[in-house]
Amino acid sequence: METPGTGPSPLNVEEPAGAQAAAVEPGRRRRWRRILAASLVLLVIVLGAMDRLAAHLAASQMVSQIQKSQQLPNKPAASVGGYPFLTQVVMGDYKDIGLRIRRVAVSDVCVDDINVHVKGVHLPLSKLIGNDVKTLPVDQVVGSVRLTYADLNAYLANQPGDVRLNAASDGMRISAPVDVPLVGQVKVFGDVRATVENNQLTLAPTALGVDGLGAVRIPTSTVRALTVAIPLSSLPLDLEVTSAAVTPSGIEVTAEADDLSLDTTQTPTTRLRGC
């Protein structure tokens, strides 16, 4: 008999095992997705760090070899291009190594900055690890060579003619004392054009005038005497100058070289020095 005021006792009904498993499964999948995503992020970070480390070590080694082959007085600053770099190290083919060579004397001219990209460097990993590099094949080198007015005038001070170069609002200006018939020695001034031909930089006056007299006829021989050749045939990495442009700070020359085989076992015929 039931006690008054109470109903029948509730029945304990067990949930089927399959239903419980179905409820737990989505949570497990979400947890594994999070673990997998975190692992992938960690892997990318580790590979990125390894890539940069490989880039640093390989670039440092190659810069040392280039410094040795070119007998550079100072170790160039380096940067690396192309990503991922780790595959370049493994394959032994490097797309782009940036080099910056500062303050070296080329012949008798102090070059302020040589900024180039060394493209297509071929260096097997075994030789890199074993420090057994005798030659360094390079497909191409392209870049620029910067000459300042101060360094150009320092070179010209040791040349005949007492020529001076200065920046002007519309380019480069030249000044020099010359002898003018019926006038005597006067100081001439004029514009200068920078040209490159046969791997030589030439600075030639395009118009000349005289302080206090304005434009007067200047003998052709005087114009020729004020034309200056800047020796740049001994640039490192066999660079040959191809064009030149006047800048507010001096002259920027483009230069390039193709199909090089840099020998690290022989001293170059022309050793560069610092300046």
Side-chain angles (χ1 to χ4, degrees), residues 104-128:
V104 292
V106 178
S107 299
D108 295 323
V109 183
C110 186
V111 174
D112 185 61
D113 185 79
I114 301 173
N115 198 347
V116 296
H117 288 271
V118 183
K119 298 177 179 291
V121 182
H122 307 288
L123 180 60
L125 180 59
S126 59
K127 292 185 178 294
L128 183 66

Side-chain angles (χ1 to χ4, degrees), residues 1 5 23-24 36 42 48 50 88 96 109 144 157 159 164 167 178 186-187 212 233 239-240 249-250 261 270:
M1 179 180 293
V24 172
L36 180 59
L42 181 61
M50 291 177 60
Q88 299 180 57
D96 187 350
V109 183
S144 62
Q159 307 302 312
R164 298 283 297 177
V178 300
V186 296
K187 186 176 182 180
S233 58
L239 287 168
E240 294 190 0
S249 61
S261 182
T270 302

Side-chain angles (χ1 to χ4, degrees), residues 4 10 16 20 70 77 89 92 97 106 124 144 193 225 232 255 258 260 270:
Q20 291 180 348
Q70 302 302 295
V89 175
I97 304 295
V106 178
S144 62
R193 182 180 69 251
L232 293 176
D258 296 308
L260 302 180
T270 302

